[in-house]
Amino acid sequence: MISILHCGDDARAALWREVFAREMPQVEFRCWPDLGRAEDVRFLVAWTLPDDLLASLPNLEILFSIGAGIDQLDFDRLPPDLRIVRMIEPGITDTMADYVAMAVLALHRDLPFHIAEQRAGRWSWRDVPPARERRVGVMGLGELGRAALAALAPHACQLAGWSRSPRTIDGVDCFAGDAGLAPFLARSEILVCLLPLTGDTRHILNRVTFATMPRGARLVNVARGGHLVQGDLLEALGNGQLSAAILDVADPEPLPAGHPFFTHPAILLTPHVAGITRTDSAVHALIDNLRRVIAGTSLVGEVDRRRGY
Ligand code: NDP
Ligand code: OXD
């Protein structure tokens, strides 16, 4: 018997158990903490791992993340030959694309300013350039960065993207690597972060980054709180180098009560809801990958552990 162990939400587990029984009966679906015969467990699907779980699974081959990110896992504590696969499924991609389009348009049209003015009881406005003149830059041209750019394309902004290796995307001015970062930032009036959190990208949204962007630029962080140096954002908003930010992620989550991001007039904050794994579509992405395992073909979303994403 081969089994997959699910570790997480009970409602999702109940639905996935039914789908597995119908579509993949050859793989038994088990729910932590009920491991059954631990030797049978070849696959694990989880967001975070309970302490000591891995030590009790001697034949584990693949860890599937329930989300797109894998930075919640401490690679140093995982067996070196354990394969890690992140979630790529239309629920996450579509909701992220919606959110980024919403956030970029909100910043383009000065929504944080208008909300603050409304709260202050003032009736004031600012000039807005046409969307076709607005220069938007997306950091990270992976699954989600590309979907975000596709969602922005109908709004006719001038689009650019930045990635580690060179990419070509129709209608997008693509920059790559360390050498491409400064020219990419220098033209980005609205910057969207959709990078994975790795040793190379932690704190990439910092004072130097902001200073390289056009004065009064705006920021959307939908990746991870660890990308942002919070004090540098507050400083840049305070001195006018940045004019507004929309943040879906923070460090820690949730932010402690009284944190300045909750009340800052130039910050809109949402509680990590930009890209949402959809239970019904994610199970099909998982089953598709298990079929690939059985067929011996490459998996969708397998992480390169040396690269960190
Ligand atoms: P991918 O792995 O598909 O894409 C990552 C992109 O980032 C690639 O283009 C990669 O470059 C680029 N990149 C990585 N490291 C660097 C670097 N050092 N310099 C420049 N570019 C780099 O990831 P996804 O698009 O699927 O997801 C991105 C992140 O979004 C996730 O890791 C997660 O943190 C976050 N997320 C947030 C959610 C939310 O609700 N807020 C929901 C889901 C995900 P290259 O193309 O050369 O490999
Ligand atoms: C994810 C997330 O990584 O929700 O999927 O952040």
Side-chain angles (χ1 to χ4, degrees), residues 68-69 71 86 92 96 140-145 162-165 167 194-197 200-201 222-224 248-249 272-275 307 309:
D71 54 284
R86 59 200 195 81
I92 302 178
M96 181 58 83
L141 296 177
E143 186 65 22
L144 302 180
W162 180 67
S163 54
R164 210 171 60 107
S165 48
R167 304 260 152 198
L194 261 171
L195 292 166
L197 185 62
D200 290 334
T201 65
V222 274
R224 287 291 182 261
D248 181 56
V249 287
H272 202 139
V273 293
R307 216 173 50 168
Y309 70 97

Side-chain angles (χ1 to χ4, degrees), residues 89-162:
E89 65 90 19
I92 302 178
T93 308
D94 294 349
T95 47
M96 181 58 83
D98 288 350
Y99 186 102
V100 172
M102 179 271 298
V104 167
L105 289 177
L107 291 176
H108 165 58
R109 295 307 309 262
D110 285 320
L111 193 64
F113 167 76
H114 290 301
I115 292 173
E117 290 298 283
Q118 176 194 353
R119 299 264 145 78
R122 286 192 292 261
W123 191 267
S124 50
W125 62 89
R126 285 175 172 173
D127 285 339
V128 179
R132 67 176 178 280
E133 288 174 16
R134 187 65 90 181
R135 288 171 296 149
V136 179
V138 175
M139 305 177 96
L141 296 177
E143 186 65 22
L144 302 180
R146 290 194 311 271
L149 284 160
L152 289 168
H155 300 287
C157 307
Q158 296 180 25
L159 301 175
W162 180 67

Side-chain angles (χ1 to χ4, degrees), residues 47 65-72 92 223-224 249 272 275-277:
W47 176 245
S65 170
I66 283 169
I70 39 86
D71 54 284
Q72 73 282 8
I92 302 178
R224 287 291 182 261
V249 287
H272 202 139
I276 304 165
T277 303

Side-chain angles (χ1 to χ4, degrees), residues 198-210:
T198 66
D200 290 334
T201 65
R202 181 175 293 281
H203 292 165
I204 194 164
L205 303 175
N206 60 39
R207 179 180 301 165
V208 176
T209 299
F210 302 147

